[in-house]
Amino acid sequence: MSVCGICGQVLPSEAAARRHANRAHPDRRPRCPFCSAAASGYEELRRHVEAAHPEPQPLPGSPELECPFCGEAAGRQLEAHVRARHGRLLGADTENVEQLYECPICGLTCTNIQILEEHVDLHLEEHSCPEGGGSGDLELAQRLQTEEDKQQRLEEEKREKEEFKKLQRQYGLDGSGGYKKQFLNNMEREVNRGRMQPFEYHKRKADMMECLAFGIDDGKTKTSGITEVLCKYYQNENKDVRRVWLSAGVDHFQSSLGDKGWGCGYRNFQMLLSSLLKNSLYNDCLRDTALIPSIPKIQSMIEDAWKEGFDPHGASHFNNRLCGSKAWIGACEIYSLLTSLRIKCQIIDFHKPTGPTGTHPRLFEWILHYYSTDNEGTAKVVCTSRPPIYLQHQGHSRTVVGIEEKKNKALCLLLFDPGCPSQEMQKLLKLNSDGTSLKLLRKFMGSLKEKQYQIVAVDGILTLEEKTARCLASRVLTSEKIP
């Protein structure tokens, strides 16, 4: 076996190596520095020098002769230079001869075939780049940036879809069913936990289906007579209340298994309606609503108001459908429903705090004016004919049933909360002299610190012409804002 002294290729014999060098590297074969004879490799050149030029002798030609190994100008001392500087290539110890590899592109000499391959690869990479490499880098950077922007958009769209689904679930618009489905699911859960007997489940289911069929509330979460008890209590209370104004009789309605978590707006409407049904002024408006409607029925009534043309913008928010959903409603839906019944009302928007530490003194002042107008006098307790007030803030709503004025002039609202259990509200029916149970109702100014509040206040009835005018106006429905 023999190796080509130029490229390092393994060949079967020395003769084959010479033939390969002559054919493959005709211009790169080393030549004798003394006689210019061509050799197939450095080993053959060494043998030639030892045989043909055993002793140092003057070299013919120019004194600027260059070393064939390092290219250094050696002149007439070329042979001595070669022996002294490159003796390892010409020495007799052939086992320690270091093989050199020359780059076929730039001529750089490498001592290792792997180094040469890496070096040549660099040349090939350079030649593979198009002219104007800077523009190629720019295109690559732009493509990478475009891909990154696309990925960010996809991730942002995914986040937006997830947030939208969360909002749909939160506001009952995810198509997961409405009052009936939630009622049955919660009762089944109670049975599975051993809190309800199967016979009770079937009885309550039958009662619920009957009430839904007639569109009336079953009354099982209702507490009546509280405002009448309050009126008697304040007559005898002599501690710190200077005056108190109370709404006309209001029934409290608690959220039930069917609407827990989303039904506060509907329950507050039931409270407001319970007071209106006791007032003969509204008999004509409510002749078709003799009993308190169920929540699915209220949803149907709001849809009917939308069909008449009330609040098309709000209707589109719910895709014009509430029935069969757990959708939250607010002040605009209450306004549309009342107006469709020819009940005169208005929305007042307290859109920012008007007092220190985020309080809303103007809200309290407005409610005091609402109850005290047409009810002036010296009486300590004023049981007015005013309906209660629907009070809305972000995420919840309650019903205002009265207001206290303390001896120090501080104001305190009396609120019915749909989230308060009926068992607790019934304790008010046995209100003792110390009034400790009133903490369920009392809300001082420092207790109402939401950023924004809206109220719906009822004030009489509408003629058919006024109802039509308000229907047209509600197409651009805006609430009156307190500056």
Side-chain angles (χ1 to χ4, degrees):
M1 301 295 289
S2 183
V3 178
C4 173
I6 298 175
C7 66
Q9 182 175 339
V10 178
L11 298 161
S13 65
E14 185 175 346
R18 284 197 297 272
R19 288 194 301 271
H20 168 78
N22 292 334
R23 293 173 183 173
H25 314 291
D27 299 327
R28 298 178 59 197
R29 290 177 295 168
R31 295 182 177 276
C32 175
F34 306 113
C35 63
S36 299
S40 61
Y42 291 112
E43 179 61 23
E44 184 179 333
L45 177 61
R46 181 187 63 77
R47 291 196 297 270
H48 167 78
V49 171
E50 290 178 346
H53 312 288
E55 298 295 335
Q57 54 184 296
L59 295 173
S62 168
E64 299 301 325
L65 291 175
E66 295 181 351
C67 174
F69 303 108
C70 64
E72 182 178 337
R76 294 184 177 275
Q77 304 300 320
L78 179 59
E79 182 178 359
H81 167 83
V82 170
R83 292 184 182 279
R85 296 287 296 276
H86 310 291
R88 66 183 185 281
L89 298 178
L90 301 175
D93 188 4
T94 58
E95 294 182 359
N96 295 325
V97 173
E98 182 178 3
Q99 179 69 52
L100 299 179
Y101 303 94
E102 185 176 352
C103 173
I105 298 175
C106 67
L108 177 69
T109 301
C110 300
T111 60
N112 184 285
I113 187 65
Q114 285 79 18
I115 296 176
L116 177 64
E117 289 176 353
E118 294 175 0
H119 173 77
V120 172
D121 287 342
L122 291 175
H123 281 298
L124 295 176
E125 289 178 5
E126 291 175 359
H127 287 291
S128 66
C129 294
E131 292 185 4
S135 62
D137 292 341
L138 179 60
E139 291 175 1
L140 176 61
Q142 291 174 340
R143 185 170 68 253
L144 292 175
Q145 185 64 47
T146 300
E147 292 175 355
E148 182 179 350
D149 292 343
K150 181 179 179 181
Q151 184 64 28
Q152 288 180 348
R153 285 196 301 271
L154 292 175
E155 292 177 356
E156 184 65 27
E157 289 175 2
K158 183 179 179 180
R159 284 195 297 269
E160 288 177 356
K161 288 180 180 179
E162 291 175 351
E163 289 297 324
F164 182 66
K165 288 180 179 178
K166 288 180 182 178
L167 288 173
Q168 284 184 316
R169 288 193 298 271
Q170 179 181 351
Y171 292 101
L173 298 173
D174 58 347
S176 61
Y179 179 90
K180 175 182 173 182
K181 185 174 182 179
Q182 179 173 315
F183 193 96
L184 294 175
N185 288 342
N186 283 336
M187 283 205 304
E188 289 174 2
R189 192 175 293 113
E190 292 294 293
V191 172
N192 292 334
R193 293 175 178 176
R195 299 175 182 173
M196 182 183 295
Q197 295 299 320
F199 76 88
E200 183 183 358
Y201 166 85
H202 290 291
K203 183 180 183 303
R204 294 188 64 177
K205 178 180 178 181
D207 292 343
M208 183 265 293
M209 296 299 288
E210 182 179 358
C211 289
L212 294 185
F214 288 102
I216 58 174
D217 186 80
D218 59 13
K220 292 184 177 177
T221 68
K222 180 177 73 171
T223 304
S224 301
I226 297 176
T227 50
E228 291 79 4
V229 172
L230 290 176
C231 185
K232 293 179 181 178
Y233 167 78
Y234 284 112
Q235 294 286 357
N236 301 318
E237 199 279 335
N238 293 310
K239 292 182 180 179
D240 59 348
V241 176
R242 177 175 175 268
R243 298 189 71 184
V244 61
W245 291 263
L246 297 172
S247 294
V250 186
D251 297 332
H252 175 268
F253 287 83
Q254 175 199 352
S255 295
S256 69
L257 292 175
D259 61 287
K260 188 175 182 179
W262 57 274
C264 58
Y266 303 96
R267 294 299 182 180
N268 285 307
F269 175 75
Q270 290 178 328
M271 296 185 205
L272 174 56
L273 190 59
S274 72
S275 180
L276 297 176
L277 287 171
K278 297 171 186 176
N279 191 328
S280 59
L281 176 65
Y282 302 96
N283 286 349
D284 185 53
C285 300
L286 301 174
R287 62 179 179 273
D288 296 328
T289 313
L291 298 173
I292 299 295
S294 64
I295 287 180
K297 178 61 176 178
I298 296 172
Q299 291 178 323
S300 177
M301 294 168 67
I302 294 174
E303 289 185 6
D304 290 340
W306 289 340
K307 291 174 184 176
E308 287 188 58
F310 287 95
D311 191 18
H313 177 74
S316 65
H317 171 75
F318 297 98
N319 293 321
N320 298 287
R321 184 170 181 81
L322 287 176
C323 292
S325 75
K326 293 182 285 190
W328 293 20
I329 60 171
C332 291
E333 288 69 49
I334 299 298
Y335 173 89
S336 296
L337 176 52
L338 290 171
T339 308
S340 71
L341 296 173
R342 290 200 301 116
I343 296 174
K344 184 179 180 181
C345 60
Q346 59 180 324
I347 299 178
I348 309 296
D349 185 3
F350 298 86
H351 60 98
K352 64 180 180 179
T354 52
T357 66
T359 56
H360 290 262
R362 291 197 179 181
L363 168 64
F364 283 70
E365 292 165 4
W366 195 99
I367 293 175
L368 175 62
H369 182 265
Y370 170 82
Y371 280 111
S372 61
T373 300
D374 301 330
N375 290 293
E376 294 294 339
T378 59
K380 176 183 177 182
V381 183
V382 183
C383 296
T384 73
S385 60
R386 291 283 191 179
I389 298 172
Y390 179 94
L391 175 66
Q392 176 80 49
H393 61 80
Q394 178 64 37
H396 194 43
S397 60
R398 287 169 283 188
T399 298
V400 182
V401 298
I403 186 169
E404 295 177 347
E405 183 184 30
K406 302 295 185 181
K407 291 181 179 179
N408 62 1
K409 300 295 185 179
L411 298 176
C412 176
L413 298 183
L414 301 175
L415 303 180
F416 279 3
D417 190 334
C420 185
S422 297
Q423 296 89 333
E424 294 296 320
M425 295 298 293
Q426 288 168 6
K427 293 178 181 179
L428 291 165
L429 299 177
K430 300 177 181 179
L431 193 61
N432 53 30
S433 58
D434 62 9
T436 54
S437 298
L438 277 176
K439 65 181 180 181
L440 292 173
L441 308 184
R442 281 175 166 155
K443 295 296 176 183
F444 291 92
M445 197 171 297
S447 303
L448 299 180
K449 291 187 176 182
E450 297 290 336
K451 291 183 179 179
Q452 180 180 7
Y453 289 92
Q454 285 183 320
I455 62 174
V456 181
V458 173
D459 187 23
I461 60 175
L462 298 170
T463 65
L464 289 175
E465 292 76 13
E466 289 173 329
K467 173 185 172 180
T468 301
R470 292 205 173 197
C471 180
L472 294 173
S474 74
R475 295 178 183 177
V476 287
L477 180 62
T478 56
S479 58
E480 178 183 347
K481 290 187 178 181
I482 298 298

